[in-house]
Amino acid sequence: MTIPQDYQFLIAFANEARKRAYVPYSNYPVGAALRTTSGRIFTGVNVENAAYPTTMCAERVAVYKAVSEGEREFEIIAVVTDNGGSPCGGCRQVLAEFGLDTIVLMADGEGRLVLETTIGKLLPEAFTPKHLPRKAD
Ligand code: THU
C-alpha cells in the first residue's frame, strides 16, 4: 500500500509523541497527532494514574489541547500504538463532537498504516450536537 506523504508525516509525529506517554500501569503507550483544517498539529499521549479510571487517552489529550487553543475543525488524526490498536469508544465520541468526517489513521509502532477510516464509520449513528435542541457555542 502506498501511504501518502502527509499521512506518513502525521504518523511519525504521533509515534514521536508516543515516547512521552506516561504508562507505568499498562505499559501500552499511545501517541496521537491531530491536524486541524487550519494546518496546525496537536499531539497527545495517554497519561495514566494510580487511580486507574482517571487515566486519559492520547486522542482526547490531543483534542483538548487543540480546543483549548481555539481550534474546533479537525481534518485528520493519527493514532499510533505498538500493535495498531483502535481508538476507544470515549475518544470516538469526543472526536465525533467536532465532525464525523475527521479521518482516522491507525498505525503500529513501526509506523505502518493499519487502517484508514473516519469517525463517522467508527461511530455509526453517533449522538452529536445536532441531536440537542440548542447547541451552546
Ligand atoms: N488508550 C488510549 O490512549 N487511547 C485509546 O483510544 C485506547 C486506550 C490508553 C489508555 C491506557 O493508558 C492504555 O491505553 C491501555 O488501555
Side-chain angles (χ1 to χ4, degrees):
M1 180 176 15
T2 317
I3 307 176
Q5 214 178 359
D6 64 328
Y7 280 18
Q8 239 150 13
F9 177 79
L10 207 62
I11 288 168
F13 227 76
N15 209 7
E16 187 61 28
R18 199 166 75 98
K19 295 176 186 166
R20 300 187 289 274
Y22 177 71
V23 290
Y25 309 107
S26 73
N27 195 29
Y28 188 76
V30 183
L34 176 68
R35 193 170 72 213
T36 66
T37 53
S38 61
R40 295 172 75 188
I41 294 175
F42 294 87
T43 59
V45 298
N46 46 340
V47 182
E48 298 187 343
N49 193 281
Y52 295 173
T54 61
T55 288
M56 183 50 63
C57 291
E59 300 92 318
R60 270 180 276 179
V61 169
V63 170
Y64 296 155
K65 280 169 71 178
V67 172
S68 66
E69 294 294 325
E71 301 285 351
R72 295 180 183 178
E73 290 180 14
F74 307 135
E75 185 189 340
I76 181 167
I77 184 168
V79 182
V80 180
T81 60
D82 284 344
N83 53 6
S86 189
C88 79
C91 290
R92 294 175 193 205
Q93 182 65 38
V94 167
L95 281 156
E97 176 75 14
F98 300 99
L100 299 176
D101 294 333
T102 303
I103 297 166
V104 180
L105 307 178
M106 300 175 204
D108 69 17
E110 307 296 315
R112 284 186 294 251
L113 182 64
V114 171
L115 186 68
E116 174 190 349
T117 184
T118 64
I119 284 297
K121 285 182 185 154
L122 288 174
L123 197 63
E125 307 303 328
F127 185 81
T128 65
K130 76 175 193 304
H131 291 103
L132 293 175
R134 285 178 49 153
K135 180 177 162 293
D137 286 332

